[in-house]
Amino acid sequence: MALYNRYKNEHYSENGIHWKVEILDSTLSTGSMNTEFDLTPEGVTIKWDGENDERYQPIKASSCNFTMMITNATLNGFLALLRAADEGRFTIKISYYDGSSWNVYWRGFIVAENLAEEDIDYPFELDVEAIDGLGRLKDLDFNHSVTYNAGTGYRALTYIKDMLSLCGYIADFGTGNTFLTTIVDLYENSMSDIGLTNSDPVYKTQIYADAFLQIDDNGVEHPVPAIEVLENICKVFGARIFQSGGRWHFVQIQRYHTAGTVEYRRYDEAGNALGHGSTDLNKVGGSGNQLDLDSTTLVKLAGMKKEF
């Protein structure tokens, strides 16, 4: 399934890279509208940070900010749509052109709570903020949409995939497209098939749902927030979760210190294995997709900011 854009902007950065910013509307059933808008000269900023700059912080959330110019009644209508929209209706998708095709760089949904409006004539500016959705998992139980039963074990991969699905905009991925890349390995002298899906520790590890269910004296189950599930699984594997290239990554932090190549596995939004292999550490994620445009590791141990 795909989401279609209602508004779009294309521009070149100072480095000559062709960028596209799309505002996707989940209520459109077919066809992009391609209503064009302009940005202010400040362009677009994407930040990977979190609650602090802890080097080993397991959850590294990201956000996007830009200012669009409202120059006519059609674009002004976006304000009315935002005011009435349910959370998650409008998704931001940012892509760059590599000379032959468009590559998704970041996804997130627009936050409309801080929407400001002025009673002035055109043109005027509208500040747009979008988040990758990890922050909203504090307010959602891990049993929010998929029931996990006490006394039953589930793969760590299943928990990760389901919790990340709660971030929203999953409809824009579709079965068969990369939703999650894992880069985790546990080594021993006789270990073989490094990199194969069936040797992925995240796939092989089973965790009982009881670990995330607080059961009171009356036997009533109280699921923990979804963010706690992700944080605890990250701690088990010494890993970090972040979004880049428009998809999620679950990466062992020690792999940042690995010289040479690392092994990866890819899964779609339904948890189906899509492939595996090895890739240069500066191209974490596999399938030939580099995570940034600067030939350096995208998400530094203490976060980073990208402006274009």
Side-chain angles (χ1 to χ4, degrees):
M1 180 178 178
L3 297 181
Y4 300 99
N5 79 49
R6 182 175 287 272
Y7 310 100
K8 77 168 184 176
N9 163 270
E10 293 187 30
H11 69 279
Y12 285 87
S13 69
E14 293 182 356
N15 292 327
I17 297 171
H18 191 183
W19 292 92
K20 178 165 60 176
V21 180
E22 296 178 278
I23 300 177
L24 311 177
D25 186 348
S26 63
T27 67
L28 295 179
S29 58
T30 182
S32 293
M33 296 178 66
N34 292 316
T35 300
E36 296 187 5
F37 66 90
D38 293 324
L39 299 175
T40 57
E42 290 77 13
V44 179
T45 299
I46 300 176
K47 296 189 295 184
W48 284 262
D49 44 32
E51 295 179 359
N52 53 54
D53 283 336
E54 160 68 41
R55 280 172 61 85
Y56 297 105
Q57 183 181 354
I59 305 296
K60 191 62 75 171
S62 57
S63 61
C64 172
N65 296 86
F66 60 86
T67 300
M68 62 186 295
M69 296 300 301
I70 305 299
T71 56
N72 54 52
T74 300
L75 291 175
N76 195 34
F78 181 44
L79 287 166
L81 293 176
L82 273 178
R83 284 195 296 268
D86 293 331
E87 182 182 85
R89 172 178 170 179
F90 290 105
T91 300
I92 298 293
K93 181 162 73 173
I94 296 176
S95 310
Y96 67 92
Y97 193 68
D98 63 8
S100 60
S101 61
W102 287 100
N103 300 275
V104 179
Y105 187 78
W106 190 85
R107 285 184 173 97
F109 63 86
I110 293 177
V111 180
E113 286 89 346
N114 300 322
L115 188 64
E117 183 177 358
E118 296 183 76
D119 186 15
I120 57 178
D121 197 8
Y122 309 125
F124 63 90
E125 299 177 355
L126 174 65
D127 294 327
V128 178
E129 177 185 1
I131 59 175
D132 64 12
L134 285 173
R136 76 192 295 252
L137 299 185
K138 299 191 298 291
D139 303 318
L140 297 176
D141 291 336
F142 93 96
N143 260 1
H144 181 72
S145 60
V146 178
T147 300
Y148 288 87
N149 298 307
T152 303
Y154 303 88
R155 299 185 190 276
L157 175 70
T158 301
Y159 289 105
I160 295 169
K161 182 262 298 181
D162 287 345
M163 299 309 103
L164 292 176
S165 296
L166 297 178
C167 290
Y169 53 88
I170 191 172
D172 199 38
F173 288 92
T175 303
N177 298 315
T178 301
F179 174 74
L180 172 67
T181 297
T182 65
I183 300 178
V184 176
D185 270 311
L186 306 174
Y187 294 95
E188 61 166 305
N189 290 339
S190 61
M191 188 172 183
S192 61
D193 295 330
I194 299 298
L196 294 181
T197 299
N198 60 12
S199 69
D200 187 348
V202 179
Y203 175 82
K204 299 286 284 186
T205 300
Q206 187 177 82
I207 303 173
Y208 276 82
D210 307 60
F212 308 119
L213 289 168
Q214 299 173 349
I215 303 177
D216 63 25
D217 294 338
N218 296 317
V220 178
E221 298 175 356
H222 301 280
V224 303
I227 194 70
E228 290 188 21
V229 176
L230 289 181
E231 288 176 340
N232 282 288
I233 293 177
C234 282
K235 292 175 182 177
V236 168
F237 292 99
R240 163 171 295 162
I241 287 177
F242 58 89
Q243 190 232 123
S244 188
R247 54 196 189 279
W248 296 104
H249 299 267
F250 185 85
V251 182
Q252 255 178 335
I253 295 174
Q254 69 176 27
R255 306 304 271 157
Y256 285 99
H257 305 289
T258 303
T261 61
V262 296
E263 295 76 30
Y264 66 85
R265 292 90 167 180
R266 296 185 297 115
Y267 302 91
D268 67 11
E269 46 84 18
N272 301 310
L274 299 180
H276 62 88
S278 61
T279 186
D280 186 275
L281 186 62
N282 292 333
K283 299 179 181 179
V284 171
S287 190
N289 292 317
Q290 201 165 326
L291 283 199
D292 78 338
L293 305 177
D294 304 317
S295 298
T296 57
T297 303
L298 176 63
V299 179
K300 308 298 185 184
L301 287 178
M304 70 163 286
K305 180 168 68 173
K306 178 75 174 179
E307 297 178 312
F308 52 88

